[in-house]
Amino acid sequence: MSSQKHANALARVHELVALYADPDASVADLLCDRYPDDALAYKVVGKDLESNDITYGRLRKESEKFAAALASLGVGPGERVATLMGKSTEYLVALMGIWRLGAVHVPIFTAFAPAGISFRLIRSQAKVVVCDESQQKKLLPGDDMPADGSWKVVTTANDGAGIPGSLRFSDLMAAHAPGRPAARLGGDAPIIQIYTSGTTGTPKGVLVPTKALAGFRAYAEFGLGLRADDLYWCAADPGWAYGLYFGILGSFTTGTPSLILTAQFDAETTFEVLARYKVTNFTAAPTIYRSMRTFEGTQPEITELRCASSAGEPLTPEVNLWAIDALGVAVHDHYGQTEAGMLMNNHHHPDLVAPLKPGSMGVPLPGWSALVLKEVEDVPAADGEYGRVAIELKDSPLAWFTGYIDDAQKSAEKFAGDGRWYLTGDAGRRDEDGYFHFSSRDDDVIIMAGYRIGPFEIESIIATHAAVSECAVIAVPDSTRGEVLECYVALRSGEKPTSELAKSIQDWVKTRYAAHAYPRQVHFVDALPKTPSGKVQRFILRQRRRDELITSATGTH
């Protein structure tokens, strides 16, 4: 990128920071009311693949009514309202109503069981939870759901289908009129209270302020390259950070016409929606692309797709070996966190676009300054050296995270150098061209005979094997080498697990990566353990394997 283009991008970042940090900022104005009434906000595509269009004018009026309804339930500015909802028109109205009132949204993923739901309701002190009919039974008192919860339940259920004590969304909407003015609480006011996935411990609360929208919009413009003439589809679930920050807020901040699909994901439906609605800008987790890649049915021709992006976990190279022919474009890998939004991208914006490097998550988003710190010292690592991926806060005007809610210890662990650096918790390296390469979460790094090995790099090789659908690499204790690599492999349809295939996978790594870094054992599994958001849980595989080795060594059962 030329120095002038870089300067232009930074100037745009500072414009966005000023806009969203304004002490008089109104979230509803910024996300809805400033757009023409007849401008398309969303195409809500149902299970029958027919769409219901919602304009910004309709969204404004409906969210005014819902804001008034929440106020009638005793919710005031700054108080928490949770959603346990799938993608729908009611979901969009609920969100905008929450923000119009000046309340704080608590997203809860619909795959959670009662224990995960109650944890978030109790920790956030939610006053209301809005739920879909299919979710409401999870809110009934039981072993994991208190009978004396302080929250009111609002359900989208049809007449007579609500759980005892619940209020119907439709009744509340009918009882209130539009016209409620939008709260103006300024850039420091919180708009979201979201919890991390908890794969390494108790979920941690993150409070997202209005001013964070500057970074979300910067990513939408620079990373995703959203344009006014796009039809944008983010397939990520808004119960998690990426789907909420960029599937919902990314489109609302830019006003880009967008699409949500109310049906559950499957590869065939994804192809059909991309083709039928002529989606031009698509983003999804690598899991979705891999599922599409292994789909064996008839694929409709994708003709209008201009940009494809991936986030949530590293993108393995075999996706792009497939995507260019199947989708007509390469998939750009992006990297971010719940605590920050997106940090590094293979950008789509024409001023920032650069050649893709397989396995690289790209370069920092304008407004963020990234580096790699040494593993055990708070000093920058040399290019090519593995270390801790970090953010230089003084040079990052988009930074907004200051710590977790009620967890001083975990908050302190996220910063180094007396607050100079924000630590992502991920390991990686920066190459001589300034591209960043993800290695692993800090606790996933494998050290074998003095070699530091990032499991993602090995997984990237294994995933290109013709028989492999998905894989995960872990470290297993070894008396000679300290640790050795083993891998868990889910096969593509029609493939059979054999010792010959295991050897083929080992040889594949030896010849395409390094002779010392091949998996000493290949374990074939039907599926890999994942978080609800689709991230592979290597720690479960590590523990499973270590338990097996202990049992084998001791002869216990």
Side-chain angles (χ1 to χ4, degrees):
M1 177 170 55
S2 71
S3 58
Q4 185 56 55
K5 289 179 178 178
H6 180 71
N8 291 344
L10 285 180
R12 177 57 176 161
V13 165
H14 287 290
E15 286 179 3
L16 296 176
V17 170
L19 175 65
Y20 293 102
D22 189 319
D24 194 42
S26 163
V27 176
D29 280 352
L30 291 166
L31 301 183
C32 178
D33 300 355
R34 67 191 181 95
Y35 301 119
D37 279 357
D38 61 353
L40 176 64
Y42 269 90
K43 286 185 173 294
V44 182
V45 178
K47 295 178 181 179
D48 59 0
L49 299 192
E50 296 300 318
S51 72
N52 172 34
D53 290 355
I54 180 168
T55 63
Y56 277 102
R58 178 185 168 195
L59 182 60
R60 175 177 56 80
K61 290 179 181 178
E62 294 292 293
S63 64
E64 286 173 349
K65 291 194 288 185
F66 191 67
L70 288 174
S72 75
L73 299 179
V75 179
E79 294 185 306
R80 275 52 173 172
V81 178
T83 59
L84 182 60
M85 306 175 75
K87 304 169 189 177
S88 65
T89 299
E90 291 86 354
Y91 174 73
L92 297 173
V93 169
L95 289 191
M96 198 60 69
I98 292 167
W99 294 325
R100 185 174 298 282
L101 182 61
V104 181
H105 173 226
V106 181
I108 303 179
F109 186 45
T110 54
F112 280 146
I117 296 167
S118 63
F119 173 90
R120 286 157 176 78
L121 293 176
I122 293 168
R123 287 294 183 96
S124 68
Q125 299 180 9
K127 296 199 72 171
V128 172
V129 53
V130 189
C131 71
D132 288 336
E133 180 174 354
S134 62
Q135 296 292 318
Q136 58 184 1
K137 289 184 179 179
K138 297 178 182 178
L139 298 170
L140 290 170
D143 292 342
D144 296 314
M145 184 62 62
D148 59 350
S150 59
W151 49 85
K152 295 181 175 71
V153 177
V154 174
T155 174
T156 62
N158 296 323
D159 290 348
I163 61 173
S166 65
L167 302 165
R168 282 195 291 271
F169 186 94
S170 57
D171 291 346
L172 289 172
M173 294 293 285
H176 293 86
R180 184 180 181 88
R184 292 187 174 275
L185 303 181
D188 290 328
I191 58 172
I192 296 167
Q193 184 165 324
I194 191 169
Y195 287 83
T196 61
S197 59
T199 56
T200 57
T202 300
K204 302 178 288 293
V206 175
L207 206 56
V208 182
T210 301
K211 62 187 177 184
L213 295 172
F216 300 171
R217 183 166 177 180
Y219 170 67
E221 293 183 7
F222 295 133
L224 298 173
L226 291 185
R227 301 190 319 208
D229 61 347
D230 270 331
L231 180 62
Y232 169 54
W233 181 19
C234 174
D237 194 288
W240 294 99
Y242 189 85
L244 177 58
Y245 293 178
F246 308 113
I248 303 299
L249 290 168
S251 58
F252 282 157
T253 59
T254 60
T256 305
S258 299
L259 181 151
I260 56 173
L261 176 67
T262 65
Q264 294 293 317
F265 165 79
D266 66 67
E268 183 176 13
T269 299
T270 303
F271 279 116
E272 179 62 28
V273 171
L274 287 171
R276 179 183 299 194
Y277 288 97
K278 296 180 169 54
V279 173
T280 61
N281 200 311
F282 179 63
T283 184
T287 302
I288 289 180
Y289 287 109
R290 289 195 291 265
S291 296
M292 294 170 68
R293 170 179 167 257
T294 56
F295 175 62
E296 296 179 348
T298 302
Q299 300 178 10
E301 187 177 5
I302 308 298
T303 60
E304 303 297 325
L305 193 61
R306 185 177 64 82
C307 297
S309 307
S310 173
E313 61 175 312
L315 183 73
T316 44
E318 86 284 357
V319 169
N320 273 334
L321 296 176
W322 157 84
I324 293 174
D325 287 334
L327 301 179
V329 294
V331 181
H332 288 215
D333 196 13
H334 299 165
Y335 165 83
Q337 298 195 313
T338 301
E339 299 91 336
M342 301 310 286
L343 297 170
M344 283 171 259
N345 312 294
N346 290 285
H347 298 94
H348 283 291
H349 191 284
D351 286 350
L352 304 179
V353 70
L356 299 180
K357 285 191 176 184
S360 170
M361 56 196 180
V363 299
L365 176 72
W368 293 102
S369 177
L371 74 160
V372 176
L373 296 174
K374 287 182 175 291
E375 181 185 355
V376 295
E377 296 180 81
D378 289 340
V379 296
D383 284 347
E385 180 181 352
Y386 284 102
R388 297 168 292 158
V389 178
I391 298 296
E392 181 83 56
L393 291 173
K394 68 180 178 64
D395 296 325
S396 299
L398 293 178
W400 50 267
F401 175 75
T402 57
Y404 298 111
I405 300 170
D406 299 329
D407 197 331
Q409 179 180 344
K410 290 295 184 182
S411 297
E413 292 172 0
K414 293 299 289 184
F415 299 94
D418 294 325
R420 177 180 176 182
W421 294 301
Y422 165 77
L423 303 176
T424 66
D426 290 325
R429 62 182 174 86
R430 181 176 63 189
D431 67 24
E432 65 279 1
D433 297 320
Y435 286 69
F436 283 74
H437 299 257
F438 179 88
S439 172
S440 64
R441 295 292 301 175
D442 281 348
D443 58 358
D444 283 338
V445 172
I446 301 166
I447 303 176
M448 186 178 71
Y451 293 100
R452 288 177 53 83
I453 302 168
F456 170 64
E457 294 184 279
I458 312 302
E459 290 165 359
S460 295
I461 299 298
I462 296 173
T464 63
H465 190 286
V468 174
S469 175
E470 290 189 300
C471 64
V473 168
I474 63 167
V476 175
D478 181 82
S479 59
T480 302
R481 300 176 180 86
E483 293 179 325
V484 293
L485 278 74
E486 294 188 3
C487 72
Y488 287 78
V489 170
L491 296 175
R492 299 186 68 172
S493 176
E495 298 289 344
K496 303 295 183 184
T498 64
S499 58
E500 291 79 8
L501 180 54
K503 184 176 186 306
S504 174
I505 291 170
Q506 292 171 324
D507 291 342
W508 189 263
V509 176
K510 288 180 183 178
T511 57
R512 285 164 177 80
Y513 183 72
H516 73 280
Y518 73 93
R520 266 46 181 189
Q521 288 201 45
V522 177
H523 307 277
F524 294 108
V525 294
D526 292 332
L528 301 175
K530 296 175 183 175
T531 68
S533 60
K535 295 181 181 179
V536 174
Q537 296 174 304
R538 294 191 190 93
F539 74 94
I540 290 178
L541 297 173
R542 284 199 301 269
Q543 189 59 54
R544 180 190 303 173
R545 184 62 178 139
R546 292 179 187 192
D547 289 346
E548 289 173 353
L549 292 173
I550 291 171
T551 299
S552 176
T554 61
T556 59
H557 296 282

